[in-house]
Amino acid sequence: MMKKITLALAFLALFSGINAQDKFFTKSGKIKFDATEKNSPENIEAVNKTVTCVLDTKTGNFQFAVLMKGFEFERALMQEHFHENYMESDKYPKSEFRGIVANNNPDNYTKNGSYDVVVKGKLTVHGETKDIETKGKMIVQNGNIEATANFPVVLADYKIIIPQLVADKLAKTASVLVDCMLTPLK
Amino acid sequence: MKNKKSLILVILLTCCFGAVLYAVKEYNRKPESLETIKEDFAISAGQLIGQYSQEQKTADQKFLGKTILVKGKINSIDITDKKNITVVLGSDGEPSSIRCSIDTLYMDKLPALKEQDSVHLRGVCTGYIPDDMGLGADIILNRCYLTEKIK
């Protein structure tokens, strides 16, 4: 009986070990947000360097979460307006994406190379969830994966209201660049 | 009468100049450095983790966007690149930790740190990421400065 339990536990440990090796993650990923209106002299850009991101190379499941207060601007006033007036970061402190790599191929992650991917899923920003689909890249190098994607976010889709006064400075569609260097989860 | 009008004009122009000067200064204002700013809260890593683990919403109301001086032991140091260093406070085996992202302006002055060093770090709390990805829960502090390193 004891032998069977030990065997079962060993199998479970081995099985969970395999699962962990399929997962790659970071807690220091980067997201750049750019809502600069064309021809505007004012750059409305912010960066967040504390993105948590996980990829299951076996299933293609892909998720990231980002805390809104972690977006930093060069100018304090812009940062205050972003958090207080537009994103309401106290009310909606977190944004996240939950989706899947549609053309996932587990074999790609075992050898160095750059692979084009299509990512589909649900993006939640400002308390609103929308389906999105975007192209991205997975660059595999020495056992790590750099996941990058650049996609547009229509601010109105997420009920982010831009006052008329700054409408000529702020783009209606922001560009979001995700850049995460994923390492194996041990 | 003429003198009175001139005086009013001078006062008006001074006010306008002052307003423009204030607007320009305010527009160009940089986020305040945490090197010298006084913290809103001073708390141990264990207490901060405890408050977030107990009730996230209440902890967010108290700490979100506030400057916190957190005291604890370094569990690990994540170096993504030269401009992205995170000091992780907490203990092995605990499901939660505090991730202190070091201010890029402070990188060059950051002394050598290693695991198990006791430190005091000042940063802005940007919130809590619960453990819904199987990676453990994290409290995030941004723009962190090391205020003290205890051997």
Side-chain angles (χ1 to χ4, degrees):
Chain A
M1 181 66 182
M2 200 60 197
K3 210 174 173 181
K4 276 184 183 171
I5 293 171
T6 314
L7 204 67
L9 284 174
F11 179 74
L12 205 71
L14 188 71
F15 184 70
S16 60
I18 288 167
N19 268 348
Q21 280 166 15
D22 293 331
K23 285 190 176 178
F24 286 71
F25 84 109
T26 183
K27 292 184 175 186
S28 311
K30 241 189 274 179
I31 289 186
K32 278 185 186 170
F33 169 92
D34 186 351
T36 308
E37 179 64 298
K38 216 177 169 185
N39 302 326
S40 168
E42 201 170 15
N43 281 344
I44 301 174
E45 291 173 337
V47 66
N48 188 317
K49 294 189 292 182
T50 56
V51 181
T52 298
C53 178
V54 63
L55 167 73
D56 188 325
T57 53
K58 197 175 178 184
T59 61
N61 281 334
F62 184 70
Q63 281 184 53
F64 65 78
V66 59
L67 293 169
M68 297 313 293
K69 287 265 182 185
F71 277 101
E72 292 176 0
F73 288 74
E74 213 179 297
R75 292 193 175 104
L77 192 66
M78 219 177 255
Q79 188 165 308
E80 286 158 18
H81 284 174
F82 176 83
H83 293 307
E84 289 162 21
N85 305 340
Y86 309 134
M87 302 309 297
E88 300 179 274
S89 304
D90 282 325
K91 200 172 167 186
Y92 307 107
K94 195 175 80 170
S95 292
E96 63 178 14
F97 173 81
R98 284 168 187 265
I100 193 157
V101 178
N103 56 342
N104 191 55
N105 180 358
D107 293 339
N108 284 349
Y109 305 111
T110 59
K111 50 188 185 288
N112 286 354
S114 175
Y115 306 99
D116 291 328
V117 291
V118 176
V119 181
K120 286 179 185 178
K122 291 185 184 300
L123 179 70
T124 304
V125 178
H126 196 239
E128 296 293 317
T129 302
K130 299 278 170 207
D131 286 319
I132 67 159
E133 182 177 331
T134 184
K135 285 177 185 169
K137 233 178 218 336
M138 297 284 183
I139 301 162
V140 181
Q141 198 164 28
N142 305 329
N144 297 326
I145 304 167
E146 186 178 8
T148 57
N150 195 351
F151 57 92
V153 169
V154 180
L155 301 181
D157 284 354
Y158 297 89
K159 299 201 173 141
I160 300 163
I161 298 157
I162 307 302
Q164 204 55 44
L165 193 70
V166 291
D168 59 332
K169 292 187 183 76
L170 211 66
K172 288 174 182 61
T173 301
S175 159
V176 175
L177 172 69
V178 181
D179 186 355
C180 293
M181 181 57 84
L182 310 172
T183 54
L185 178 66
K186 285 161 192 158
Chain B
M1 188 65 184
K2 201 180 171 188
N3 273 352
K4 204 175 175 183
K5 270 187 180 171
S6 301
L7 186 68
I8 291 169
L9 194 70
V10 167
I11 291 170
L12 272 175
L13 280 173
T14 311
C15 286
C16 285
F17 183 69
V20 169
L21 213 64
Y22 174 76
V24 170
K25 196 181 164 197
E26 184 64 5
Y27 176 76
N28 288 311
R29 179 166 54 91
K30 302 273 179 210
E32 210 167 355
S33 162
L34 298 190
E35 195 171 10
T36 49
I37 204 171
K38 175 96 181 89
E39 60 274 1
D40 299 302
F41 298 97
I43 191 167
S44 74
Q47 283 172 330
L48 186 61
I49 290 170
Q51 293 202 29
Y52 262 103
S53 305
Q54 229 168 30
E55 180 54 69
Q56 190 200 332
K57 211 171 175 183
T58 313
D60 263 347
Q61 281 168 357
K62 188 173 172 184
F63 297 119
L64 198 60
K66 297 282 191 294
T67 304
I68 301 177
L69 180 80
V70 67
K71 305 164 187 177
K73 272 193 175 173
I74 298 177
N75 188 36
S76 61
I77 300 166
D78 285 359
I79 304 172
T80 312
D81 56 60
K82 276 182 186 172
K83 290 200 163 186
N84 199 355
I85 299 175
T86 306
V87 175
V88 185
L89 305 181
S91 346
D92 269 341
E94 272 188 22
S96 301
S97 62
I98 302 172
R99 297 184 60 83
C100 307
S101 174
I102 302 297
D103 194 321
T104 43
L105 300 173
Y106 180 63
M107 296 287 184
D108 299 337
K109 291 189 233 166
L110 188 70
L113 295 173
K114 60 182 188 310
E115 289 174 16
Q116 294 308 309
D117 277 348
S118 285
V119 289
H120 293 184
L121 286 155
R122 190 190 287 127
V124 175
C125 178
T126 63
Y128 180 73
I129 295 189
D131 183 16
D132 49 9
M133 295 189 209
L135 303 174
D138 295 299
I139 299 157
I140 313 284
L141 298 191
N142 254 20
R143 295 170 51 216
C144 288
Y145 269 80
L146 179 84
T147 63
E148 209 171 321
K149 180 182 160 189
I150 306 151
K151 270 281 168 193

